[in-house]
Amino acid sequence: RHPYIITYRESFMDRKFLCIVMDYADGGDMYKKIEFQKNISKLMPENQLLDWFVQMALAIKHIHDNKILHRDLKTQNIFMTSNQEIKIGDFGIARVLQHTYDCAKTAIGTPYYLSPEICQEMPYNQTSDVWSLGCILYEMVTLRHAFDSNSMKGLVLKILRGTYPEIPSHYSQDLKDLISEMLI
C-alpha cells in the first residue's frame, strides 16, 4: 500500500479468465497524456513534470525498499487520477529479491525502457527501474522516446551508447542533469 501505487482490491476467476480488481485511475495514463500533448504541440510545464516525477520516485522507492523490482516501468503503467496524482501499476512481471544486493537475470520489459544491463543480458537490480524512470521522465519532457529505432538491434545499440537527443532549452539545467544522472 502506497499513495502513488494502484491499490489491489481482490482477484477472482470468471470462467477461464483471471479478473483483478484495482483502484480506478480516472485520469488515464501518462502515455495518453503525452500523446495529447503531442497532438496539441505543447510541452508540459516543468513544475508539473517534477511534481509527477516526485510521486513516481516515491512509489519506486517504496517498492525497492520492499525488495521488489517493477521490471516494466513505462508510460502505459503510470496511471493518473483526475486530480493529477500518479499511481504506478501493472506489477505483472515484478520480481521480489531475497536481499537488496540480489540481481535478476531474465530479459523482460518494454524495449524503449530497457536498461543497458538487460540489453547485454547481464544481471540487473533496482538501477534498471531507475533507468526506466529516467526514460519516462525524458519522454514526459520531450514528448518522444529517449532511445528510438526502426529495429531492435538499432534500439539496443542506442541504449548501450547512452546518447539521446537534446532536451529543449527552456527546461532547467537541474532537470537536464536529473535525466542525465538517471540514464547512466
Side-chain angles (χ1 to χ4, degrees):
R1 295 197 177 271
H2 190 273
Y4 304 124
I5 295 175
I6 286 283
T7 301
Y8 164 85
R9 297 293 175 183
E10 66 176 299
S11 60
F12 58 90
M13 294 297 294
D14 182 28
R15 288 173 288 232
K16 59 181 179 177
F17 299 101
L18 172 64
C19 301
I20 301 172
V21 180
M22 301 179 297
D23 283 348
Y24 179 60
D26 57 352
D29 61 35
M30 189 57 69
Y31 177 82
K32 289 181 182 133
K33 176 65 175 165
I34 290 169
E35 287 300 308
F36 174 79
Q37 295 299 132
K38 275 188 213 177
N39 288 337
I40 64 170
S41 300
K42 186 174 181 187
L43 296 174
M44 294 184 260
E46 184 167 336
N47 61 342
Q48 179 64 75
L49 295 171
L50 290 173
D51 184 48
W52 287 333
F53 171 77
V54 168
Q55 293 175 52
M56 288 184 267
L58 289 170
I60 298 305
K61 180 186 182 320
H62 177 74
I63 66 169
H64 287 175
D65 286 350
N66 286 284
K67 300 182 184 88
I68 297 169
L69 300 180
H70 189 285
R71 303 196 311 172
D72 196 24
L73 288 171
K74 58 186 176 183
T75 56
Q76 294 96 328
N77 290 340
I78 308 295
F79 302 105
M80 304 175 77
T81 65
S82 58
N83 63 349
Q84 303 297 303
E85 281 190 352
I86 293 295
K87 301 279 186 178
I88 293 181
D90 195 353
F91 287 81
I93 60 173
R95 167 95 188 261
V96 178
L97 299 177
Q98 296 304 311
H99 305 282
T100 54
Y101 53 83
D102 280 352
C103 292
K105 296 182 178 86
T106 53
I108 54 179
T110 301
Y112 293 120
Y113 309 94
L114 291 178
S115 69
E117 296 87 352
I118 293 173
C119 291
Q120 293 175 307
E121 299 179 350
M122 295 172 59
Y124 57 93
N125 56 22
Q126 292 87 345
T127 59
S128 285
D129 281 348
V130 172
W131 173 277
S132 298
L133 188 56
C135 291
I136 291 167
L137 182 57
Y138 178 92
E139 193 172 340
M140 290 165 52
V141 167
T142 64
L143 308 179
R144 62 180 187 242
H145 296 295
F147 308 99
D148 201 357
S149 180
N150 293 329
S151 70
M152 188 63 169
K153 181 179 178 183
L155 179 62
V156 167
L157 288 173
K158 286 184 177 183
I159 290 169
L160 294 178
R161 281 191 212 112
T163 56
Y164 46 85
E166 200 170 302
I167 294 168
S169 61
H170 78 275
Y171 287 113
S172 72
Q173 189 59 47
D174 287 340
L175 179 57
K176 293 175 186 177
D177 291 345
L178 175 62
I179 292 168
S180 175
E181 288 292 319
M182 295 175 75
L183 296 180
I184 292 177

